[in-house]
Amino acid sequence: MDLQAYLKRCVGLVDDALDHWLPAETMMPSELHKAMRYSVFAGGKRIRPVLMIASCEAAGGAAEAVLPAACAMEMVHTYSLIHDDLPAMDDDDFRRGRPTSHKVFGEALAILAGDALLTEAFDLLTREEALPGVGAEVRLRLTHLLARAAGSRGMVAGQVVDMDSEGRDIDFPTLEYIHTRKTGALILAAVQMGALIGGAPGGTFEALTDYGRAAGLAFQIADDILDVVGDQELLGKDVGSDQERGKATYPALLGLEEARQRAREMRDRALAAVEPLGKKAEPLRDIAHFIVDRSF
Ligand code: GRG
């Protein structure tokens, strides 16, 4: 399979859908909508939407069916990046190769752009015309999956414990607590939402859940490794910042080699989970390799 072509096709579909569903820059208050679009269209990898599409396809569904839900996921992810970059949190100047939202629009508007993206995501997910083929019960489950993954039992919990751990020695279970929530929760939800929209039967949903859990952890370990050995230009953000801030990371706790080994183990776990799904899961398999081997 040509993964680059697959990614390009998915990213094209997602970008068009985002452009369609996000409020236009000309809509009042224009500055807010400009700020929302500035961060969403700053050139992210769209890995969560791509995983949602690939999971839906692995369950027998079509890419087009998940696009609004994939947009909602990317909006929540982008909100988290905008807020994470704020002076009160990581205080970063660059994200996705561009000045961060608060550097361009000021802190108040950056906070509000993040708030609005988070809220618009749920507006989109619960709007009947956005997911025409998806029944109310499934829409409710999708909404719950995204809310649970983003909130104080998911991503926000991971972020809080991560901030709390800065400059402190933490143990391995705490590190896994942080990573499964801060990054893993949205990735798992993306895979599960794709599975639901694709109509996955119980066994397939479980297999995709195992894949999503392992892929989420693999993604974060790779992210930690890239912060040590990655290329600043390719990543579009500063490298070495985790160590500078005394952040809890896999390389810091396990060393680079063991962190790499752990990432490979998680990739293999993800691959094993979707083995029974056959050819339909080929994109998911290639994405698992990409997550671990990527340079950006
Ligand atoms: C502020 C509630 C709140 C949460 C922030 C996502 C997050 C939690 C913080 C981002 C900091 C960070 C570097 C997390 C590690 C992994 C991660 C989520 C990286 C960014 O995701 P990518 O690589 O980014 O998918 P792109 O730009 O490609 O979308």
Side-chain angles (χ1 to χ4, degrees):
M1 197 194 98
D2 182 348
L3 181 67
Q4 285 317 315
Y6 183 82
L7 294 176
K8 198 168 165 209
R9 183 183 136 250
C10 291
V11 170
L13 288 172
V14 171
D15 283 359
D16 288 349
L18 280 165
D19 190 36
H20 176 75
W21 292 111
L22 276 168
E25 283 191 6
T26 48
M27 186 191 286
M28 265 184 78
S30 174
E31 206 54 16
L32 173 66
H33 294 132
K34 264 189 200 149
M36 290 161 73
R37 283 174 168 266
Y38 173 83
S39 293
V40 168
F41 291 111
K45 290 182 287 300
R46 311 286 193 229
I47 193 75
R48 295 154 194 79
V50 170
L51 278 167
M52 204 186 289
I53 292 172
S55 175
C56 176
E57 289 178 338
E64 286 69 19
V66 300
L67 291 176
C71 292
M73 173 60 71
E74 190 65 13
M75 289 181 202
V76 172
H77 168 59
T78 307
Y79 125 77
S80 79
L81 299 181
I82 295 174
H83 282 196
D84 184 66
D85 290 335
L86 288 168
M89 294 201 218
D90 273 2
D91 196 11
D92 275 319
D93 293 349
F94 286 94
R95 166 74 65 184
R96 294 174 161 175
R98 290 183 175 192
T100 42
S101 180
H102 64 273
K103 286 279 162 196
V104 178
F105 297 95
E107 222 175 303
L109 207 63
I111 292 170
L112 291 166
D115 291 342
L117 282 169
L118 174 62
T119 317
E120 279 294 308
F122 290 98
D123 179 292
L124 181 54
L125 213 47
T126 51
R127 217 186 292 174
E128 203 155 0
E129 81 271 16
L131 290 158
V134 177
E137 200 180 309
V138 171
R139 203 127 28 88
L140 185 64
R141 285 183 72 190
L142 296 172
T143 307
H144 176 70
L145 279 173
L146 186 54
R148 177 57 67 100
S152 70
R153 300 164 221 237
M155 182 173 66
V156 176
Q159 177 78 347
V160 169
V161 179
D162 187 34
M163 283 166 23
D164 212 41
S165 305
E166 273 185 30
R168 300 218 328 252
D169 283 337
I170 61 157
D171 56 16
F172 193 68
T174 309
L175 180 68
E176 293 226 315
Y177 176 96
I178 293 169
H179 285 0
T180 50
R181 284 161 185 80
K182 190 176 89 166
T183 314
L186 280 195
I187 290 180
L188 172 60
V191 174
Q192 289 180 318
M193 289 165 76
L196 270 183
I197 297 171
T204 305
F205 187 82
E206 288 311 316
L208 290 167
T209 295
D210 289 346
Y211 172 95
R213 209 167 270 135
L217 210 44
F219 184 86
Q220 181 56 56
I221 302 171
D223 199 77
D224 284 356
I225 293 170
L226 284 172
D227 193 71
V228 181
V229 300
D231 180 316
Q232 197 149 310
E233 221 160 281
L234 282 176
L235 289 167
K237 59 176 188 180
D238 298 340
V239 297
S241 55
D242 289 344
Q243 198 185 358
E244 229 168 75
R245 292 193 184 102
K247 283 241 187 207
T249 67
Y250 276 80
L253 216 69
L254 302 178
L256 208 47
E257 262 330 296
E258 217 178 303
R260 284 191 172 118
Q261 181 54 30
R262 181 93 182 136
R264 288 192 288 264
E265 275 168 29
M266 287 300 124
R267 175 201 60 200
D268 293 344
R269 194 177 290 184
L271 294 174
V274 293
E275 167 86 46
L277 304 185
K279 199 163 165 49
K280 287 198 307 275
E282 209 177 336
L284 285 177
R285 281 192 270 280
D286 285 359
I287 295 167
H289 285 288
F290 166 74
I291 280 175
V292 172
D293 299 335
R294 71 203 164 99
S295 54
F296 62 96

